[in-house]
Amino acid sequence: MNEEPMNRGSLLIAVAAAAAMLFAGVNAWLTAAILLIWIATLRLARPAPTFEPQDRRRRDLTTDMVSKMIQPLESPMLVMRGERVEAANAAAQGVLGLHIVGQDARVALRHPDAIALVSGDTDRSVTIKGLTTAKSLWKLSIFRLDDRLRLVELADMTAQADISRAHTDFVANASHELRTPLASIMGYIETLGSPKAGGDTATRTKFLDTMGREARRMNSLVEDLMSLSRIEAEKHDTPQDEIDLATIADQAARDVNAVHGRDRVRFTKTATQTTIRGDRGQLDQVIRNLIDNAMKYGGTDKPISITLSEGERRSLQLAVADEGPGIAAEHLPLLTRRFYRTDPGRSRANGGTGLGLAIVKHIVERHKGQMDIKSIVGTGTTVEISFPHS
């Protein structure tokens, strides 16, 4: 209750007026009576005591307390009274906008499923697609704090959904890639089981050659899958060994040339500092995968060049270039996807698994590098990778 004392100025005026009346010769009893009536009138004219509504004080305290509690949290949180947003932490304002505080939740959330959730009177959760962007996935949960306030939590499930979808796609693609050669091998085995085909030496030899090729393809696919799995398991472990990339690149070029009996792969070094922190086996795999791709798709007799040069911002740049038919621009952003092929038939015929560049990408990311693929149709393709110097 807020009480104000009697106005002292008015009281002084009343006393002064009474004194003046006495000085003017007015009867003392009459003057006293007038003074008492005046004082009583002043007291009755005092403003009535004001009471701050108890529910008002409790509401402000509760809202402030909950608002302070949710501010440090990373998950977006809203405090609602009825269908109005009374408070929102920084995470919620980052997702929904700074304007949502004080706004009707139906305007702030804008999604029919979200509006239905906050309009209800029970604690529950709902998963909503497209709350912030077309492909976003959010889980909204509402909790009643008391008979006035409710707390709404927003959990971003988009990344988890993407990972789950990528895992499903990966398993489906891997199963398909393995099923194709396996079906071919099984078919030839059944054919060789018949006396007519199995008894013919030329047919048997042809079928066995095909089965051997398909088996090697399956083996390559399994090896790449295992390699990719190992790389992903280690992707958060930054390599610490000092590795001379020039030595690895030069040895890879020599090995390939020795196998093919000619100097098709040429290695050039212009950088003076070629040491980086890395995993020797994985860096060797990067270079050999890029050489293998260049040999498969860069033409059977065209040269392949490997260069090591100084990059920008104290980096070492590795480039592997071929002079093949090149790749159309629309394919370039997709080349590092698992099992992506610009020409599936040609890739399988060359023994490709569709995982080579995906493996390269993951290894480069583990080494804090950056990869760029450039290609001009009719001229050739160059893969450039920048590694930070050690």
Side-chain angles (χ1 to χ4, degrees), residues 112-127 139-144 151-153:
D113 293 338
I115 294 171
L117 175 72
V118 300
S119 299
D121 57 358
T122 57
D123 294 356
R124 61 192 185 96
S125 300
V126 63
T127 301
K139 181 181 179 182
L140 270 65
S141 303
I142 190 164
F143 309 95
R144 184 172 296 279
L151 183 67
V152 178
E153 179 186 20

Side-chain angles (χ1 to χ4, degrees), residues 99-229:
H99 61 280
I100 60 173
V101 177
Q103 197 173 55
D104 191 304
R106 291 169 293 188
V107 178
L109 298 175
R110 301 185 301 277
H111 194 286
D113 293 338
I115 294 171
L117 175 72
V118 300
S119 299
D121 57 358
T122 57
D123 294 356
R124 61 192 185 96
S125 300
V126 63
T127 301
I128 299 174
K129 184 177 182 180
L131 179 66
T132 53
T133 62
K135 294 184 178 180
S136 67
L137 188 69
W138 290 84
K139 181 181 179 182
L140 270 65
S141 303
I142 190 164
F143 309 95
R144 184 172 296 279
L145 301 178
D146 55 25
D147 58 349
R148 297 167 309 281
L149 297 180
R150 293 179 297 166
L151 183 67
V152 178
E153 179 186 20
L154 293 81
D156 190 356
M157 311 293 289
T158 307
Q160 295 182 29
D162 289 343
I163 292 172
S164 178
R165 184 165 51 252
H167 177 73
T168 301
D169 292 344
F170 176 71
V171 172
N173 287 328
S175 299
H176 173 73
E177 293 292 333
L178 287 169
R179 186 183 298 115
T180 303
L182 183 59
S184 176
I185 292 173
M186 292 175 63
Y188 283 118
I189 289 175
E190 291 177 1
T191 304
L192 288 174
S194 68
K196 183 176 181 180
D200 183 77
T201 304
T203 302
R204 185 170 63 251
T205 301
K206 179 181 177 181
F207 283 7
L208 289 173
D209 288 342
T210 304
M211 291 168 61
R213 183 173 63 252
E214 296 293 342
R216 287 189 294 273
R217 179 181 160 194
M218 285 182 62
N219 186 64
S220 297
L221 181 58
V222 170
E223 287 182 349
D224 281 352
L225 287 171
M226 293 177 64
S227 178
L228 190 58
S229 178

Side-chain angles (χ1 to χ4, degrees), residues 10 28 44 54 69 84 97 111 123 151 159 189 229 252 271 292 303-304 315 318 326 331 384:
S10 298
L44 290 173
Q54 184 68 18
M69 289 173 62
R84 185 167 299 278
H111 194 286
D123 294 356
L151 183 67
I189 289 175
S229 178
D292 187 53
I304 298 167
S315 64
L318 167 72
H331 293 295
E384 296 179 347

Side-chain angles (χ1 to χ4, degrees), residues 310-371:
E310 293 290 347
E312 298 179 354
R313 300 177 182 177
R314 287 184 48 80
S315 64
L316 179 63
Q317 183 165 293
L318 167 72
V320 178
D322 64 56
E323 298 178 9
I327 303 169
E330 62 267 22
H331 293 295
L332 295 180
L334 308 174
L335 291 177
T336 56
R337 288 187 179 180
R338 299 167 183 176
F339 302 110
Y340 184 83
R341 297 180 175 93
T342 58
D343 185 348
R346 180 186 175 193
S347 176
R348 292 191 179 96
N350 289 329
T353 63
L355 294 173
L357 286 177
I359 291 173
V360 169
K361 174 188 173 183
H362 281 75
I363 294 175
V364 170
E365 289 177 348
R366 186 191 175 205
H367 287 73
K368 312 301 181 186
Q370 294 182 340
M371 181 170 69

Side-chain angles (χ1 to χ4, degrees), residues 281-298:
Q282 290 186 354
L283 292 172
D284 182 69
Q285 189 174 10
V286 164
I287 295 174
R288 291 179 186 271
N289 276 13
L290 293 179
I291 294 174
D292 187 53
N293 272 1
M295 296 189 71
K296 287 176 180 176
Y297 310 113

Side-chain angles (χ1 to χ4, degrees), residues 8 33 65 90 189 241 267:
R8 292 182 179 180
M65 287 180 60
I189 289 175
D241 294 338
F267 171 64

